[in-house]
């Protein structure tokens, strides 16, 4: 299978935040193990040491001021406790008094006391370096007629070859095709809602059907293939029993002349990246595990080390969040190289490689903002980041713009002025006080200087999916936004104010060249 285009979908609701802790490094008592550490009576010193020694084993530490006192005490600490064999609820504090994962009750209480003392009561919002300009920039709104049911759009993908748009709905479990006049037809029934689509050069559509949308260890996801040339042909199941697949890619990793399939299984506590060999019809016949690390949110296949063999770069958004490069060892396997680690309160949600500063090295465009697990509060470090590639994929943060609940970013030259602009969506935006941040268009005016346009579309939906495609075939990239209209509310005393019956909208590009 030769891939012509890949339409990536990274859903905030598809990534989960599991273990949480601190990033404060205690310089004293380094010679002692956490198990044998004797409390000094100094709440801060004891807490710093115990948190560093116990929590850094699983993921990057999180600053105590990244969450509020109440969130640490009521949500995060209870979530962390069971990883140490402890339970803060029920008749017994211990799951097993003889096996507490190296954590004693006394040490655990010291950690709780530390958070109670040092964590802030509230988180202050980050100050935006450039205020949002509420305008349409160079876009015009186009939309289909409202549907009778509530829209639960998990996928919107544009096929620039014929101008069609394809959507999938979580509740309807189908794939719908839309022409450029918004006439629609159901293309196929699906085993579950699709969250990622890939078009190949044989007019076949490969779909990642997630199975269970909630992050649980229930492997009923499937990869299916649909022949768009023959509407009567039922979808072919390429592989089943996958742990919540969120993306499918393809490349010839063993250089035998036929592409293998890469499946990103986000899972719950179990998942991974899987390499599939397929037969002539495209059905999987052999499976190889690249990594069994759960929490995959997105991947890119490319020859990153320029040795002539395709590699895989993967973003993880659970527990030990980070960006990892899996280099092809040319022997049927991969070696891993950790590029970046992020604290597990970030909720990593998407990434793209693009040469923003035009120095010849692809930079990292990264979003974080999943916000529906243990800490459902607005976080000032959520947003859009740019990491400069200083060479050999060594990344250094060079730019940040705060966006509550940022979900996805796509960089392209929307205004045809020769540099890259960025479009973003935020599923967990501050919908109560600042719904305009749900969609932002960042116009690059000078190198690494952006003017943010809050395009006023928040009243039309809540954007979980986004794609860029030349919808009207005028040679300019348009933006497609998919509306997941109900559920996953995280702000108290707030009711939806958007249209719940629009499956998607189009932002037609009317920039003048």
């Amino acid at each position: 299978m030769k891939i012509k285009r890949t339409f990536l979908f990274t859903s905030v609701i598809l990534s989960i935040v599991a273990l949480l802790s601190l990033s404060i490094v205690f310089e004293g008592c380094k010679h002692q193990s956490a198990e044998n550490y004797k409390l000094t009576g100094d709440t801060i010193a004891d807490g710093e040491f115990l948190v560093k020694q116990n929590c850094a084993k699983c993921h990057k530490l999180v600053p105590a001021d990244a969450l509020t006192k109440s969130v640490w005490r009521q949500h995060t600490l209870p979530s962390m406790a069971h990883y140490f064999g402890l339970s803060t609820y029920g008749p017994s504090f211990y799951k097993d008094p003889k096996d507490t994962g190296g954590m004693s009750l006394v040490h655990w209480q010291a950690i709780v006391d530390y958070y109670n003392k040092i964590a802030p009561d509230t988180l202050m919002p980050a100050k935006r370096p450039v205020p949002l300009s509420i305008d349409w920039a160079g876009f015009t709104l186009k939309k289909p007629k409202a549907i009778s049911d509530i829209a639960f759009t998990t996928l919107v993908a544009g096929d620039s070859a014929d101008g069609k748009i394809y959507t999938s709905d979580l509740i309807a479990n189908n794939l719908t095709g839309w022409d450029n006049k918004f006439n629609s037809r159901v293309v196929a029934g699906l085993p579950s809602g699709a969250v990622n689509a890939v078009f190949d050069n044989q007019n076949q559509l490969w779909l990642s059907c997630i199975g269970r949308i909630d992050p649980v260890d229930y492997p009923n996801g499937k990869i299916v293939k649909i022949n768009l040339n023959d509407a009567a042909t039922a979808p072919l199941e390429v592989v089943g029993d996958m742990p919540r697949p969120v993306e499918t890619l393809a490349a010839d990793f063993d250089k035998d002349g036929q592409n293998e399939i890469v499946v990103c299984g986000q899972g719950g506590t179990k998942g991974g990246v899987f390499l599939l060999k397929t037969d002539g019809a495209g059905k999987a016949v052999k499976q190889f595990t690249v990594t069994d690390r759960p929490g995959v949110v997105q991947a890119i296949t490319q020859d990153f080390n320029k040795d002539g063999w395709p590699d895989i770069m993967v973003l993880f958004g659970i527990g030990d969040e980070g960006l990892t490069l899996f280099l092809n060892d040319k022997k049927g396997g991969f070696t891993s190289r950790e590029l970046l680690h992020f604290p597990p309160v970030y909720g990593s949600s998407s990434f793209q490689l693009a040469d923003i500063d035009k120095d010849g090295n692809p930079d990292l465009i990264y979003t974080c903002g999943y916000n529906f697990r243990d800490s459902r509060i607005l976080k000032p470090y959520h947003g859009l980041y740019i990491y400069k590639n200083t060479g050999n994929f060594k990344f250094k943060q060079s730019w940040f713009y705060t966006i509550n609940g940022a979900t996805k970013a796509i960089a392209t030259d929307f205004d045809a002025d020769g540099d890259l602009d960025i479009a973003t969506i935020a599923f967990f935006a501050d919908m109560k006080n600042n719904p305009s941040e749900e969609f932002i268009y960042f116009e690059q005016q000078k190198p690494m200087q952006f003017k943010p346009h809050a395009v006023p579309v928040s009243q039309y939906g809540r954007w979980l999916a986004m794609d860029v495609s030349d919808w009207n075939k005028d040679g300019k990239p348009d933006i497609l936004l998919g509306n997941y209209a109900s559920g996953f509310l995280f702000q108290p005393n707030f009711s939806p104010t958007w249209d719940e019956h629009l499956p998607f909208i189009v932002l037609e590009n009317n920039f003048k060249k």
Side-chain angles (χ1 to χ4, degrees):
M1 181 183 69
K2 295 182 179 179
I3 296 302
K4 180 173 61 178
R5 256 179 341 274
T6 301
F7 296 92
L8 303 177
F9 166 77
T10 307
S11 160
V12 175
I13 62 176
L14 304 179
S15 47
I16 70 173
V17 181
L19 308 176
L20 297 172
S21 53
L22 303 172
S23 68
I24 301 175
V25 178
F26 179 54
E27 296 300 327
C29 302
K30 288 186 177 180
H31 63 283
Q32 301 186 61
S33 69
E35 293 84 353
N36 298 324
Y37 179 75
K38 294 182 179 180
L39 298 180
T40 66
D42 185 326
T43 301
I44 294 178
D46 290 338
E48 286 180 348
F49 176 79
L50 291 170
V51 168
K52 176 179 179 293
Q53 291 297 310
N54 287 285
C55 300
K57 298 175 182 177
C58 297
H59 54 75
K60 186 173 181 178
L61 297 173
V62 181
D65 60 1
L67 297 171
T68 64
K69 273 184 174 64
S70 62
V71 170
W72 280 115
R73 184 174 60 250
Q74 299 173 20
H75 300 285
T76 304
L77 289 174
S79 176
M80 289 173 59
H82 83 94
Y83 292 102
F84 297 104
L86 303 170
S87 175
T88 54
Y89 301 103
S92 173
F93 193 84
Y94 291 107
K95 281 186 175 180
D96 181 352
K98 296 180 181 179
D99 181 12
T100 60
M103 177 71 71
S104 69
L105 176 57
V106 173
H107 283 179
W108 178 254
Q109 187 59 51
I111 289 176
V112 173
D113 293 342
Y114 171 75
Y115 284 110
N116 276 329
K117 185 169 185 176
I118 200 171
D121 293 321
T122 59
L123 296 186
M124 298 301 295
K127 185 177 180 180
R128 290 190 166 102
V130 180
L132 286 173
S133 175
I134 301 178
D135 58 59
W136 287 92
F139 297 99
T140 302
L141 175 68
K142 302 290 182 180
K143 56 189 178 71
K145 293 180 180 179
I147 59 177
S148 58
D149 296 324
I150 294 176
F152 291 92
T153 306
T154 54
L155 168 75
V156 58
D159 187 355
S160 296
D162 58 11
K164 289 184 178 180
I165 295 172
Y166 293 90
T167 62
S168 182
D169 187 279
L170 178 69
I171 303 303
N173 285 344
N174 61 20
L175 181 74
T176 302
W178 308 76
D179 64 20
N180 57 13
K181 295 182 180 180
F182 298 120
N183 298 310
S184 66
R185 71 177 181 89
V186 175
V187 177
L190 300 175
S192 61
V195 297
N196 168 255
V198 176
F199 298 86
D200 69 16
N201 62 358
Q202 297 177 353
N203 206 26
Q204 296 183 108
L205 182 59
W206 298 66
L207 296 171
S208 302
C209 299
I210 187 120
R212 288 278 295 271
I213 196 70
D214 47 326
V216 296
D217 292 319
Y218 194 76
N220 66 335
K222 300 179 186 296
I223 308 302
V224 302
K225 184 176 69 169
I226 295 176
N227 185 355
L228 297 176
N229 294 317
D230 186 357
T233 302
L236 171 69
E237 181 180 314
V238 177
V239 63
D241 299 327
M242 300 302 292
R244 303 182 61 248
V246 295
E247 186 177 18
T248 304
L249 307 171
D252 186 4
F253 291 95
D254 57 7
K255 303 186 75 170
D256 67 350
Q258 181 176 342
N259 281 348
E260 287 74 51
I261 308 300
V262 176
V263 176
C264 297
Q266 188 172 101
T269 61
K270 299 176 182 178
V273 178
F274 309 99
L275 190 65
L276 308 177
K277 296 284 291 184
T278 60
D279 59 19
K283 194 170 183 64
V285 294
K286 187 178 180 180
Q287 180 173 315
F288 169 77
T289 300
V290 178
T291 177
D292 61 1
R293 181 175 168 186
V296 185
V297 295
Q298 191 182 333
I300 294 175
T301 59
Q302 196 177 109
D303 180 11
F304 292 103
N305 58 358
K306 305 299 181 184
D307 65 352
W309 294 71
D311 313 299
I312 311 172
M313 190 177 291
V314 182
L315 178 65
F316 295 89
I318 173 178
D320 187 17
E321 295 190 28
L323 190 67
T324 303
L325 178 58
F326 293 93
L327 294 170
N328 194 330
D329 67 5
K330 310 176 189 178
K331 301 175 183 178
F334 295 84
T335 59
S336 64
R337 173 186 163 194
E338 299 297 326
L339 302 179
L340 289 171
H341 283 280
F342 304 111
V345 288
Y346 270 39
S348 299
S349 53
S350 80
F351 81 105
Q352 181 181 351
L353 298 177
D355 189 3
I356 293 289
D357 55 9
K358 296 184 179 182
D359 67 350
N361 292 322
D363 305 302
L364 174 67
I365 300 168
Y366 162 81
T367 61
C368 61
Y370 175 79
N371 212 10
F372 203 74
R373 187 149 173 91
D374 299 319
S375 51
R376 300 176 187 178
I377 58 174
L378 300 176
K379 300 178 175 70
Y381 40 84
H382 279 176
L384 173 65
Y385 292 77
I386 297 177
Y387 286 79
K388 178 179 174 58
N389 183 353
T390 60
N392 194 26
F393 298 100
K394 295 180 180 179
F395 294 113
K396 180 180 180 181
Q397 183 182 325
S398 58
W399 188 84
F400 169 69
Y401 195 88
T402 180
I403 307 172
N404 291 297
T407 303
K408 186 175 182 179
I410 298 178
T412 194
D413 186 4
F414 289 101
D415 55 7
D417 65 351
D419 56 24
L420 293 176
D421 314 297
I422 305 174
T424 64
I425 55 173
F427 189 67
F428 289 105
D430 183 1
M431 296 171 289
K432 190 174 181 179
N433 304 301
N434 190 19
S436 58
E437 65 182 355
E438 287 184 42
F439 175 82
I440 303 175
Y441 164 66
F442 291 89
E443 173 192 1
Q444 188 170 190
Q445 297 179 315
K446 295 179 181 179
M448 295 299 292
Q449 293 185 22
F450 297 87
K451 179 179 180 180
H453 301 264
V455 179
V457 293
S458 60
Q459 62 181 304
Y460 300 105
R462 186 183 181 192
W463 316 120
L464 179 62
M466 176 172 62
D467 190 23
V468 170
S469 175
D470 184 7
W471 169 71
N472 55 6
K473 302 184 72 173
D474 65 352
K476 295 184 290 187
D478 307 301
I479 300 174
L480 319 176
L481 301 179
N483 180 18
Y484 192 98
S486 183
F488 294 97
L489 297 179
F490 72 106
Q491 292 178 290
N493 304 317
F494 173 79
S495 298
T497 56
W498 52 80
D499 191 330
E500 294 186 327
H501 300 278
L502 273 178
F504 68 96
I505 63 171
V506 176
L507 294 178
E508 186 179 57
N509 187 333
N510 286 312
F511 286 100
K512 295 182 180 180
K513 295 184 178 181

